Amino acid sequence: MTYIKRAAEDTIIHTSEMFPVLLLTGPRQVGKTTLLRRIAEKQQSNGIHRKYVTLDDPDVRYLAKTDPALFLQRYTPPVLIDEIQYATELLPYIKMSVDNSGNKGDFWITGSQAFHLMQNVSESLAGRVGIINLLGLSDAEIHQEPSAPFQTNSDYLLKQLDLHKKRGLNDIYRRIFRGSMPALYADSNVDWETYYRSYVDTYLQRDIRDLTQVADEMQFYRFMTIVAAHTSKPLVYQELANAADISAPTAKKWLSLLVSSHIVALVQPYHNNALKRVVKAPLLHFLDTGLAAYLLKWGNPDSLERGAMSGAFFESYVFSEIYKSYLNAGKEPPIFYYRDKDQKEIDLLLYQDGTLFPIEIKKSASPGKTAIKNFDVLNPIQSKSNFDNLESLKTKIGTGSVICMANDLLPIDENNWYVPVWLI
């Protein structure tokens, strides 16, 4: 298989130099182990010879669970331990080891099930672990273009024009349909449908049944399909529950599994005291559009592009690209959205340095100025008169973007730009 250079490589190296333990977490099969082993190979030239062990091996797992101290005598640091969630008994012993040595980068660990793992990590390794989330391939990685956290300001966008190749509607929907899994790009012989069928089976049988005791795998599969059908929509648990024929508490629990295992992401609504009618429900996005397309039985990119969910998939694709651009740089994505009780919406909001940057997402090549009509709902946050002398709560509104299928980067007015989707 061809190795695809990952945008997070430098972030991982930098984080490993800061912390004694590095945790790389993310969904199954996004290339966590491949990436770390690749970096470990490069480190050998600097005299760092890192051992590798996977807890997928039943014998190794048994040793890790029953005698963690002996396990760490056998696999001394520097070491890469794969699938740490299968033997969290190791974590207190890793803590003792790094406290004794004081070395940075002694332990690299990976985990696919954050919902099972994070509590143990936070309790055992607080202050000692740098956590990086890795998702599927971004467009920048697929096309081996430079990657940086997305910004809306015109100086940043103009610089990006020379770094990205233009792509048309068919190219974009082939990418949306294919999804983000590295195996689908590293080996052209991998069949898309067979791959995702195997992926879902593995996820249900190992991550869901083994670790969370979901009694009915088929009912959970149906729930996943219903969640995929709600991508880019505000989250209403009762709607999901009714469609899946389960209770609302069960829907909430099951969705938390999908969020914690990085299958979906929830975008929180933006709140400000000056905005009185904001809806509090988060926005739901499926992070791998290829997996969503498989679950919903779309057969090819053309039918997806012409279908009823074309716009929803486009929105989730744009969100996931922006989301990954921050994760790959080791940053928490500063992403929100806006919706109020008058049904006015802004698809995404980036909040940075006391400034809010509105983003609208449109599949159209010529969205028109109506695409930014809802940006005005944010105006109250700029007026200090709305904050009862708490001027520190006043927020600036920065450059806005309409991410769309335009052929070029063009200004809409002095504050907003049409941004081609291939530029993100």
Side-chain angles (χ1 to χ4, degrees):
M1 270 193 185
T2 304
Y3 174 73
I4 299 172
K5 188 179 189 301
R6 304 305 298 266
E9 281 191 16
D10 290 342
T11 301
I12 289 169
I13 293 169
H14 179 64
T15 303
S16 181
E17 292 169 349
M18 292 175 59
F19 293 93
V21 183
L22 167 78
L23 168 62
L24 187 61
T25 185
R28 284 196 168 276
Q29 300 178 30
V30 294
K32 299 184 295 297
T33 305
T34 301
L35 171 55
L36 291 182
R37 296 191 77 172
R38 182 79 171 193
I39 297 173
E41 286 178 11
K42 293 180 180 179
Q43 287 185 334
Q44 289 184 15
S45 61
N46 296 324
I48 301 173
H49 299 280
R50 187 175 299 273
K51 303 174 184 68
Y52 170 75
V53 59
T54 176
L55 298 179
D56 268 331
D57 184 318
D59 294 330
V60 172
R61 187 190 312 176
Y62 179 78
L63 175 62
K65 291 179 74 68
T66 58
D67 198 339
L70 185 61
F71 176 94
L72 291 183
Q73 288 182 35
R74 168 63 181 85
Y75 299 103
T76 54
V79 62
L80 164 55
I81 304 173
D82 213 1
E83 305 292 4
I84 190 69
Q85 72 276 356
Y86 290 129
T88 54
E89 294 85 352
L90 285 171
L91 296 175
Y93 292 84
I94 291 175
K95 172 184 177 295
M96 288 187 287
S97 175
V98 299
D99 285 351
N100 288 331
S101 74
N103 296 329
K104 307 298 185 186
D106 262 0
F107 291 88
W108 291 357
I109 57 180
T110 75
S112 300
Q113 296 90 26
F115 55 83
H116 186 73
L117 179 60
M118 285 303 174
Q119 182 178 359
N120 291 308
V121 169
S122 61
E123 290 174 354
S124 302
L125 299 176
R128 301 166 179 84
V129 59
I131 301 173
I132 297 173
N133 296 313
L134 185 71
L135 298 180
L137 295 174
S138 65
D139 279 4
E141 291 170 320
I142 292 169
H143 299 290
Q144 292 297 284
E145 297 169 344
S147 176
F150 178 76
Q151 301 176 43
T152 65
N153 72 76
S154 57
D155 290 340
Y156 168 84
L157 293 169
L158 286 166
K159 290 177 182 177
Q160 297 302 303
L161 281 173
D162 295 331
L163 304 176
H164 294 266
K165 182 181 178 181
K166 290 185 179 182
R167 289 176 294 138
L169 183 68
N170 292 336
D171 295 324
I172 294 297
Y173 271 86
R174 278 194 292 270
R175 163 73 175 86
I176 290 172
F177 178 80
R178 194 159 185 80
S180 304
M181 291 300 178
L184 295 169
Y185 295 88
D187 187 347
S188 59
N189 294 319
V190 176
D191 178 72
W192 178 87
E193 184 173 359
T194 303
Y195 176 84
Y196 276 114
R197 185 191 307 120
S198 173
Y199 184 90
V200 170
D201 287 346
T202 301
Y203 177 68
L204 290 174
Q205 291 173 10
R206 300 192 62 178
D207 296 358
I208 296 303
R209 185 186 64 191
D210 292 351
L211 293 175
T212 62
Q213 290 83 48
V214 170
D216 190 334
E217 289 177 27
M218 289 310 300
Q219 193 171 34
F220 189 87
Y221 175 84
R222 174 173 167 75
F223 177 76
M224 285 179 63
T225 302
I226 290 164
V227 171
H230 282 75
T231 193
S232 82
K233 293 182 180 180
L235 172 60
V236 180
Y237 288 109
Q238 194 61 57
E239 282 186 12
L240 299 179
N242 291 343
D245 195 24
I246 57 178
S247 68
T250 298
K252 188 171 185 178
K253 175 187 174 185
W254 286 3
L255 189 71
S256 73
L257 300 182
L258 294 177
V259 170
S260 297
S261 51
H262 312 283
I263 301 296
V264 303
L266 298 183
V267 186
Q268 297 302 319
Y270 176 75
H271 289 290
N272 187 296
N273 289 351
L275 304 173
K276 304 298 185 184
R277 297 176 57 80
V278 175
V279 172
K280 295 182 179 180
L283 192 68
L284 186 154
H285 281 292
F286 231 78
L287 285 170
D288 190 312
T289 51
L291 176 58
Y294 168 78
L295 290 169
L296 295 171
K297 307 305 181 189
W298 292 104
N300 57 70
D302 293 336
S303 62
L304 176 60
E305 188 273 318
R306 294 191 302 266
M309 292 196 66
S310 177
F313 270 75
F314 188 76
E315 286 186 31
S316 289
Y317 159 70
V318 170
F319 164 77
S320 67
E321 287 297 301
I322 295 175
Y323 191 68
K324 282 183 272 193
S325 76
Y326 283 88
L327 292 182
N328 288 337
K331 298 180 181 296
E332 183 69 23
I335 304 175
F336 301 86
Y337 89 108
Y338 177 91
R339 180 174 178 156
D340 62 27
K341 294 176 182 177
D342 298 321
Q343 305 300 309
K344 292 182 178 179
E345 297 183 28
I346 301 174
D347 292 326
L348 296 177
L349 298 165
L350 298 181
Y351 182 69
Q352 295 177 296
D353 302 322
T355 304
L356 205 61
F357 302 90
I359 299 173
E360 193 67 17
I361 303 169
K362 299 291 183 186
K363 181 188 168 188
S364 171
S366 303
K369 286 194 173 183
T370 57
I372 61 171
K373 65 181 180 181
N374 290 336
F375 288 5
D376 289 345
V377 300
L378 300 175
N379 287 340
I381 70 176
Q382 298 189 103
S383 175
K384 65 180 180 181
S385 63
N386 290 321
F387 296 101
D388 299 326
N389 297 321
L390 294 174
E391 190 173 348
S392 60
L393 296 177
K394 189 179 75 169
T395 304
K396 296 178 182 179
I397 299 176
T399 305
S401 294
V402 178
I403 298 176
C404 57
M405 287 304 308
N407 289 320
D408 203 355
L409 176 67
L410 296 169
I412 303 172
D413 56 31
E414 61 182 7
N415 297 317
N416 303 286
W417 290 73
Y418 293 122
V419 178
V421 68
W422 46 265
L423 206 58
I424 63 174

